[in-house]
Amino acid sequence: MRFSGSPLRLLRPLLQSRPFHPLRRCCLSKLLANSSTASCRRLSTEGPASQRAIGQDSMEVLGHSYPRDNFTNVTPKILAKVGRNLHNQSHHPLWLIKERIKAHFYSAYVGRWGNPLFSVHDNLSPVVTVEQNFDSLLIPPDHPSRKRGDNYYVNRKTMLRAHTSAHQRELVSAGLDAFLMVGDVYRRDEIDASHYPVFHQMEGVRLFCNHELFSRVHRGDDLALLERGGRRTPQKQETHSLEAVKLLEFDLKQTLTRLVTHLFGGDVEVRWVDCYFPFTHPSFEMEVRFQGNWMEVLGCGVMEQELLNSAGAGNKVGWAFGLGLERLAMVLYSIPDIRLFWSQDERFLRQFRVQNIQQPVCFQPLSKYPPLHNDISFWLPESSEAFTQNDFYELVRSVGGDMVEKVSLVDEFQHPKTGRRSQCYRIIYRHMERTLTQQEVRLVHEHIERAAEAELGVQGRY
């Protein structure tokens, strides 16, 4: 399920925000065209590593070639993350969170013959169609979540998924009534300790037929999931009976309360907040009180019946939820910076090699290396649509990579006579595993300055 920018608000476009202009492609287009191929592990279980490459006219991802067009904005640094599958790397903190949730569902929800009720799908390719990512979830054509500036597009019809919900219809169409979906998702976003262009989501879906939902209700045979001639209210969809929605809501909230109790402990406080998502109604966000503050942990809701109808499950009703693995891991394991999840430093990884996945882990910080600050000021292009902050953030990522800890807008100025606008950004450089020198940072910073002028049409004030 899609959530907004923070690693845990992943359902926003499913239950829980600036285009990269192709006009000036001097620096980064050379990076794209000249990028060497890099090996990666396939998302599927079909075999050995595949090659990833960005050419002048095509892009190769996980063994498949895709044509490029004026919508293409995937960079080599992002493409290098595809296939890393942190959630499937044994004893990685994201793997630990996934396995804890999976073990809970396996033990708490058992089918008639003693088998786990929920199936788990954690190796589906992150390359999806725009139709899968948006249209299949009833997200309107003008919805802001579709913006080219907020997503990574392979081309106009293909993209790196922005939420795991992109696979929801295909799994329901395959006949699955209860499943967990886990995977890496991709979003252009700001740069700080809690945002990263790649993060990981888990969503759950549960469908019920008439008998399953009403079997424990007195005279349940007299009740129905759907009704004709109904109307949409804040409590229900027009096709749902009120009895069905109330039972779905109860089952959903009970399921998720059990889950967070399993993760946070029996004393956890929970509250529910009404909200809006395009593909569920009614919809809710769950918050838990953690260290004295209320923290949102997931989004959920009753699935839109139109979505189920399109997947061939129109005789059933269901609920869905979505959560972010990074947010949970950062809270439960006290991990201070989201970049650490991509670290291959043994001092980080060995802390999570526990014998029991339920064993508490409190991350012991690595040496805190000193930050280096550099500012960059420039005049913006005259056209207001020719530059957006996400364009600049993505350019900084493409050049500086994980050397960049944070980028923040620190000043804006409009010339009183000409009306020209300028912005000043502060870039904080800090490596997670070693001390940076001002000399090497200055080289990167100068590269960012040149690339910003060439790619974004700004005029430097440095």
Side-chain angles (χ1 to χ4, degrees):
M1 298 198 172
R2 162 107 180 211
F3 293 78
S4 66
S6 71
L8 199 68
R9 297 180 63 114
L10 19 130
L11 204 61
R12 282 238 143 80
L14 171 65
L15 290 181
Q16 123 169 35
S17 234
R18 312 181 272 240
F20 194 86
H21 299 278
L23 301 179
R24 308 170 189 86
R25 293 206 166 271
C26 177
C27 296
L28 288 185
S29 51
K30 290 181 181 178
L31 278 174
L32 297 178
N34 298 329
S35 173
S36 61
T37 59
S39 61
C40 70
R41 185 165 65 84
R42 295 180 66 93
L43 278 178
S44 66
T45 56
E46 296 173 0
S50 61
Q51 297 294 311
R52 297 160 299 189
I54 299 179
Q56 196 70 27
D57 301 313
S58 64
M59 177 183 303
E60 188 171 344
V61 190
L62 299 175
H64 297 277
S65 181
Y66 302 90
R68 295 182 58 200
D69 58 25
N70 62 358
F71 241 62
T72 303
N73 63 358
V74 178
T75 64
K77 278 187 168 28
I78 294 301
L79 200 59
K81 305 294 186 183
V82 178
R84 287 284 299 275
N85 293 340
L86 301 183
H87 60 287
N88 286 337
Q89 293 183 13
S90 181
H91 293 92
H92 189 278
L94 297 180
W95 176 87
L96 284 178
I97 292 290
K98 181 194 76 171
E99 291 299 310
R100 288 185 64 185
I101 297 174
K102 186 170 75 172
H104 168 72
F105 274 90
Y106 276 5
S107 62
Y109 303 96
V110 179
R112 175 182 309 181
W113 309 110
N115 297 321
L117 183 65
F118 284 80
S119 58
V120 177
H121 308 268
D122 58 9
N123 63 352
L124 298 178
S125 172
V127 183
V128 300
T129 65
V130 171
E131 196 275 340
Q132 283 177 289
N133 199 79
F134 297 118
D135 298 290
S136 73
L137 299 171
L138 312 178
I139 298 174
D142 59 349
H143 197 275
S145 65
R146 291 177 178 256
K147 286 182 180 178
R148 180 171 174 269
D150 290 346
N151 299 283
Y152 289 103
Y153 283 90
V154 176
N155 53 48
R156 188 172 293 273
K157 295 184 178 180
T158 313
M159 63 188 298
L160 299 179
R161 64 187 170 209
H163 43 218
T164 52
S165 303
H167 304 283
Q168 189 178 96
R169 187 179 63 184
E170 64 189 271
L171 294 176
V172 172
S173 298
L176 300 178
D177 288 342
F179 59 84
L180 301 175
M181 167 62 200
V182 193
D184 45 335
V185 299
Y186 299 78
R187 205 91 51 75
R188 296 176 93 209
D189 212 334
E190 57 194 291
I191 302 176
D192 58 33
S194 62
H195 292 82
Y196 201 79
V198 190
F199 54 102
H200 298 75
Q201 292 183 345
M202 172 183 282
E203 71 175 81
V205 169
R206 177 94 189 264
L207 305 184
F208 298 85
C209 66
N210 204 90
H211 173 73
E212 289 172 318
L213 190 62
F214 295 123
S215 61
R216 290 178 289 176
V217 177
H218 178 62
R219 299 187 65 179
D221 292 340
D222 297 334
L223 301 175
L225 300 176
L226 308 173
E227 65 180 17
R228 293 183 179 180
R231 63 186 183 91
R232 181 172 289 245
T233 70
Q235 289 75 38
K236 63 182 283 296
Q237 299 171 37
E238 53 269 39
T239 57
H240 290 168
S241 70
L242 185 59
E243 295 85 1
V245 172
K246 290 304 179 184
L247 283 174
L248 279 174
E249 182 180 331
F250 175 80
D251 188 82
L252 169 62
K253 291 181 176 179
Q254 183 185 61
T255 299
L256 295 177
T257 300
R258 288 175 176 172
L259 173 60
V260 298
T261 300
H262 170 72
L263 294 174
F264 288 88
D267 297 332
V268 65
E269 295 181 60
V270 173
R271 72 180 183 185
W272 299 93
V273 179
D274 293 338
C275 61
Y276 166 78
F277 303 121
F279 16 75
T280 59
H281 180 77
S283 305
F284 315 96
E285 288 178 346
M286 172 195 264
E287 297 180 348
V288 300
R289 184 180 288 278
F290 184 78
Q291 295 182 345
N293 298 311
W294 286 105
M295 179 185 70
E296 177 210 336
V297 294
L298 57 83
C300 60
V302 176
M303 297 173 67
E304 284 284 354
Q305 198 61 29
E306 183 181 345
L307 193 156
L308 294 180
N309 293 343
S310 69
N315 63 330
K316 299 176 181 178
V317 294
W319 52 248
F321 73 86
L323 54 82
L325 296 183
E326 275 86 350
R327 169 70 68 86
L328 287 178
M330 291 177 78
V331 171
L332 293 172
Y333 300 144
S334 300
I335 298 174
D337 194 307
I338 196 170
R339 292 176 299 163
L340 278 166
F341 291 106
W342 296 89
S343 173
Q344 298 184 29
D345 192 321
E346 185 63 20
R347 294 172 300 167
F348 172 76
L349 297 174
R350 69 187 176 203
Q351 297 188 41
F352 301 94
R353 296 196 183 107
V354 293
Q355 294 184 342
N356 185 337
I357 61 173
Q358 307 298 346
Q359 179 179 328
V361 177
C362 184
F363 171 67
Q364 299 301 313
L366 311 179
S367 298
K368 189 70 170 179
Y369 298 101
L372 293 174
H373 302 74
N374 284 261
D375 292 349
I376 178 171
S377 299
F378 44 72
W379 294 105
L380 301 181
E382 293 185 7
S383 171
S384 60
E385 297 182 355
F387 174 88
T388 65
Q389 290 186 24
N390 263 12
D391 293 344
F392 180 65
Y393 295 149
E394 191 58 35
L395 183 145
V396 173
R397 280 196 187 98
S398 297
V399 177
D402 286 354
M403 184 186 297
V404 177
E405 178 177 86
K406 184 177 182 179
V407 180
S408 54
L409 178 65
V410 294
D411 186 50
E412 291 188 89
F413 169 75
Q414 184 166 10
H415 195 284
K417 293 184 177 180
T418 65
R420 296 184 70 189
R421 294 188 305 118
S422 73
Q423 292 182 340
C424 177
Y425 290 86
R426 176 155 298 156
I427 303 177
I428 300 178
Y429 299 88
R430 191 203 310 258
H431 204 285
M432 302 301 295
E433 299 168 6
R434 63 181 176 85
T435 299
L436 295 173
T437 66
Q438 182 61 50
Q439 182 179 8
E440 65 179 316
V441 165
R442 188 60 207 168
L443 290 175
V444 173
H445 198 74
E446 289 175 352
H447 190 175
I448 292 173
E449 292 173 341
R450 293 193 301 270
E453 291 189 333
E455 294 293 326
L456 305 180
V458 302
Q459 182 181 346
R461 299 185 65 190
Y462 33 83

